[in-house]
Amino acid sequence: MRSADLFRLILLAAIWGASFLFLRIVAPALGPLWTAESRVAIAGAAMLLFILAGGRSMHFGTSWRQYLILGTLNSALPFALFSYAALTLPAGYSAILNATSPLWGALVGAAVLGETLTARKITGLLIGIAGVAFLVRLGPAQFSPQVMVAAAACVLAALCYGIAGAYSKKASSGIAPPQMATGSQLGAALVLLPFLPLSPIRGEVTPMVIMIALVLALLCSAVAYFIYFRLIADLGPTKALTVTFLIPLFALIWGALFLGEAVTLNMLIGCAMVVLATWLVVFQPATAPKAVA
């Protein structure tokens, strides 16, 4: 891995790790749906301007359906669910549960795409489930029904990412990654829009909340997506997924530094189990070539 790619990987992990910190600040004021809507709408608008400034077309006429479906699965639902979880869970919790996305992706890939569910992947899935259970039951957040519901929201969001990955492979391979990233944000904004009246603003919208919401949209979505797709182009999707291992670490650091969130041994054990499970699923050993008679 080149030093420039390593820098992008670490930078992306730091940005996405910070997104869980920002959700802890914005969601209590705006509410889950308004937090998710502001994130995707502002990010989508900024990314659209970037695409159009480069003289490229979004092909809305032929690709609108893919944008709506992927936007729902990859942004609208998970962003709203993580925003809801941020009302209860520490940032590190949400980031660790988010790291289970490749585990769900393996299950969805086996069910929908016919991918092989190897013994290694099954072991990873079992370790990941055990890590989540350990974290939720023995982590620093006091075990309660509210914590259980918030953790379930994070797991459902991670499952949405797994389904989105399978859908992207199956139905949107003909769309360039920057256009798909932009269209999915715009699609997510349209999907969330009708539901906003159901989620009134929860608290005072201060200049700090507005500033953090802008950073969440422009940095953690718009800029982060473009960095991620550059990594995919340079390293391939498997190596780009290693960012998943680093996000919980940064989320734990940012949460401890800026929100005073506890980082306990049990939390680190749960994190290590999830990261190990993700490694087992993402990195499959290369099969030896068959001998030719």
Side-chain angles (χ1 to χ4, degrees), residues 11 16 117 147 151 232 250 252:
L11 177 62
W16 273 342
L117 200 59
V147 168
I232 290 176
F250 279 102
L252 290 172

Side-chain angles (χ1 to χ4, degrees), residues 104-115 162-171:
W104 302 113
L107 281 178
V108 174
V112 177
L113 302 178
E115 295 178 353
I163 297 172
Y167 174 79
S168 182
K169 290 179 182 178
K170 194 169 185 178

Side-chain angles (χ1 to χ4, degrees), residues 46 64 119 130 136 142 168 177 182 191 252 263 266 278:
W64 65 269
V136 173
Q142 185 175 359
S168 182
T182 302
V191 168
L252 290 172
V263 180
N266 287 337
T278 305

Side-chain angles (χ1 to χ4, degrees), residues 135-151:
L135 174 70
V136 173
R137 189 67 183 86
L138 300 176
Q142 185 175 359
F143 183 72
S144 67
Q146 291 80 8
V147 168
M148 286 289 293
V149 172

